C-alpha cells in the first residue's frame, strides 16, 4: 500500500506539471486564434477547442495539488510498507532521526533515501522532496517569467473581442453565417433620428441615424438602424454597407469606422491590415509591454523559494484556475455565436484576465520585499 501511495504522489506531481504546461500552451494558442479570427463569423472552433483544453488543465492542476497535499499529510501516509519477501516490521518501532542515521557513517539523508527501519524493512516515502533541474532557482525564475506570455496574449484577445461584433444582437455574426456581402447603397429616404456623435471634448466626429438604402442586388430597400456615418446623411448619399442576400429582412449594417469588405471576406489572419483586427499587433505589443513592466520585476524580486511555494500552493493555483476557466466561460458565447455577453460580463472577463494576475503578483512581491 505504501508503494502505491508513493507512486500516486509522484503521478499527481507530474500531472500538476503537465496541467501547467497544457494551460500555458492552450491559453497562448487560443488567444492567437482569437486575435486572427475577429473578422470571421462564429463559431471560432479552434479557439473554442483550445479554450476548453486551457480551462480543463487550469482546473486539473489545483485538483492534482489538493490531492497531492492530502497524500502529503502525515495522517494519510503509509510509510512503513515493506518490500516483498521482507520480514514483518512493527508499526510501533520508533523512527530514527536523520541526524542519527548519518552518525558515524558519513552518509547524509540523500535524495534516494527512503527512511530507515533497521535491517528488516524499508519505507517507500522519502524524508525530503526530490530535487532536480525543475526545482533549480534559475528554472523557477524562468518559469515565472514565461507565465507572462499567455497573460499578455489572452489579455490582447479579450480586449480585441471588445471591439468585435458586440452590438447587442449579433447582427454582423448572423450575416456572416448567412454569407454576408459588402456593397455600396444609396440613401433613398430622408434619414430618421439623426444625432450628432461627439467625443468627450465636444468635437463632432460623426452622425448616427436610421437609413433606408437601395442596393443594386436587393429587390427591396434595406433598413439600417443606428447607422454611423462621418458626414451627415441625406437623400442620395452613398455609403458602404454589409448585408445578407439570403436574409434581406435583417437590413444592413452601416459603420464607416468598420471594413465591410473585411467582414464579408473573413478569413484567419493574425495581423490583418484592415477590419476589426487591424489593431491586433498594437494590442499585443501594448499588453506585452505592460505585462513585462509589471510582471517581470515582480517575478525576479521574490526569492526562488517563495516563487516555488506559490507555484505548488494548492490555494494559489486554485485562484489561477478559477481565473482561466472563468474568463473562457465568459467569452464562450462570443466564440460559439450563441449569444453576446453584456458589458458587465466583458468587464469582469477583462479584469480577471489581466488585472487579477497582476494584483496577485504585486501582493506576492510586496510580501517578499517586506520580509
Amino acid at each position: 500500500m505504501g508503494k502505491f501511495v508513493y507512486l500516486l504522489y509522484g503521478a499527481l506531481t507530474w500531472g500538476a506539471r503537465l496541467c501547467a504546461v497544457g494551460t500555458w500552451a492552450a491559453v497562448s494558442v487560443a488567444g492567437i486564434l482569437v486575435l486572427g479570427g475577429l473578422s470571421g463569423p462564429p463559431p471560432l472552433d479552434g479557439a473554442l477547442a483550445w479554450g476548453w483544453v486551457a480551462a480543463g488543465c487550469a482546473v486539473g492542476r489545483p485538483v492534482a495539488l489538493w490531492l497531492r497535499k492530502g497524500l502529503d499529510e502525515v495522517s494519510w501516509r503509509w510509510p512503513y510498507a515493506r518490500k516483498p519477501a521482507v520480514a514483518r516490521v512493527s508499526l510501533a518501532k520508533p523512527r530514527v532521526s536523520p541526524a542519527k542515521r548519518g552518525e558515524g557513517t558519513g552518509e547524509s539523508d540523500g535524495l534516494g533515501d527512503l527512511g530507515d527501519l533497521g535491517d528488516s524493512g524499508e519505507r517507500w516515502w522519502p524524508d525530503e522532496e526530490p530535487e532536480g533541474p525543475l526545482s533549480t532557482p534559475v528554472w523557477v525564475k524562468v518559469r515565472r517569467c514565461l507565465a507572462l506570455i499567455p497573460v499578455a496574449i489572452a489579455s490582447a484577445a479579450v480586449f480585441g473581442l471588445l471591439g468585435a461584433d458586440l452590438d447587442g444582437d449579433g447582427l454582423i455574426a448572423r450575416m456572416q453565417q448567412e454569407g454576408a456581402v459588402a456593397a455600396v447603397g444609396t440613401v433613398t429616404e430622408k434619414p430618421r433620428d439623426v444625432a450628432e456623435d461627439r467625443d468627450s471634448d465636444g468635437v463632432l466626429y460623426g452622425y448616427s441615424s436610421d437609413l433606408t438604402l437601395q442596393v443594386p442586388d436587393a429587390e427591396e430597400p434595406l433598413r439600417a438602424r443606428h447607422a454611423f456615418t462621418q458626414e451627415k446623411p441625406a437623400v442620395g448619399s452613398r455609403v458602404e454597407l454589409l448585408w445578407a442576400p439570403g436574409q434581406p429582412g435583417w437590413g444592413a449594417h452601416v459603420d464607416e469606422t468598420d471594413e465591410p469588405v473585411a467582414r464579408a471576406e473573413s478569413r484567419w489572419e493574425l495581423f490583418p491590415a484592415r477590419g476589426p483586427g487591424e489593431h491586433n499587433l498594437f494590442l499585443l505589443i501594448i499588453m506585452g509591454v505592460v505585462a513585462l513592466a509589471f510582471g517581470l520585476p515582480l517575478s525576479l524580486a521574490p526569492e526562488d523559494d517563495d516563487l516555488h511555494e506559490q507555484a505548488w500552493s494548492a490555494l494559489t493555483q486554485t485562484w489561477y484556475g478559477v481565473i482561466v476557466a472563468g474568463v473562457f466561460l465568459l467569452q464562450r458565447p462570443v466564440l460559439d455565436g450563441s449569444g453576446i455577453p453584456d458589458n458587465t460580463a466583458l468587464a469582469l472577463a477583462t479584469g480577471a484576465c489581466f488585472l487579477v494576475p497582476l494584483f496577485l503578483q504585486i501582493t506576492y512581491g510586496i510580501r517578499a520585499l517586506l520580509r
Side-chain angles (χ1 to χ4, degrees), residues 261-283:
V261 175
R263 297 282 196 177
E265 300 175 358
S266 58
R267 63 184 184 276
W268 190 91
E269 187 178 358
L270 182 56
F271 301 125
R274 60 182 182 177
E278 63 180 333
H279 301 302
N280 287 352
L281 180 59
F282 176 76
L283 271 175

Side-chain angles (χ1 to χ4, degrees), residues 9 67-77 125 129:
Y9 184 87
L67 293 175
R68 181 177 180 269
K69 181 179 175 63
L71 291 177
D72 198 27
E73 297 295 335
V74 176
S75 60
W76 284 69
R77 293 186 188 179
W125 205 278
E129 283 288 334

Side-chain angles (χ1 to χ4, degrees), residues 85-116:
V86 177
R88 181 179 296 276
V89 179
S90 172
L91 296 178
K93 183 172 182 177
R95 181 176 176 179
V96 182
S97 67
K100 290 183 179 180
R101 277 202 301 271
E103 277 185 355
T105 64
E107 297 178 359
S108 62
D109 190 14
L111 302 178
D113 187 6
L114 297 177
D116 186 6

Side-chain angles (χ1 to χ4, degrees), residues 10-21 57 60-62 64-65 68 312:
L12 290 172
T13 299
W14 278 102
R17 285 171 174 161
L18 291 176
C19 283
V21 175
C57 289
R61 177 172 172 83
L65 290 178
R68 181 177 180 269
W312 291 95

Side-chain angles (χ1 to χ4, degrees), residues 63-204:
V63 169
L65 290 178
W66 281 114
L67 293 175
R68 181 177 180 269
K69 181 179 175 63
L71 291 177
D72 198 27
E73 297 295 335
V74 176
S75 60
W76 284 69
R77 293 186 188 179
W78 292 77
Y80 300 111
R82 296 176 292 105
K83 286 184 177 180
V86 177
R88 181 179 296 276
V89 179
S90 172
L91 296 178
K93 183 172 182 177
R95 181 176 176 179
V96 182
S97 67
K100 290 183 179 180
R101 277 202 301 271
E103 277 185 355
T105 64
E107 297 178 359
S108 62
D109 190 14
L111 302 178
D113 187 6
L114 297 177
D116 186 6
L117 294 175
D119 296 332
S120 59
E122 183 176 27
R123 64 186 177 85
W124 292 100
W125 205 278
D127 290 322
E128 297 179 358
E129 283 288 334
E131 295 182 0
L134 297 179
S135 301
T136 59
V138 174
W139 170 243
V140 171
K141 296 281 189 179
V142 171
R143 181 178 64 198
R144 179 52 62 91
C145 293
L146 290 176
L148 298 174
I149 295 176
V151 171
I153 294 175
S155 301
V158 172
F159 277 106
L161 285 173
L162 289 172
D165 177 26
L166 303 178
D167 56 356
D169 57 3
L171 176 61
I172 294 178
R174 289 187 285 118
M175 286 182 175
Q176 289 173 321
Q177 290 173 330
E178 291 291 331
V181 173
V184 176
T186 303
V187 178
T188 58
E189 297 181 6
K190 182 180 179 180
R192 297 178 300 279
D193 299 328
V194 179
E196 296 181 345
D197 290 338
R198 299 180 179 272
D199 59 21
S200 57
D201 296 326
V203 178
L204 179 66

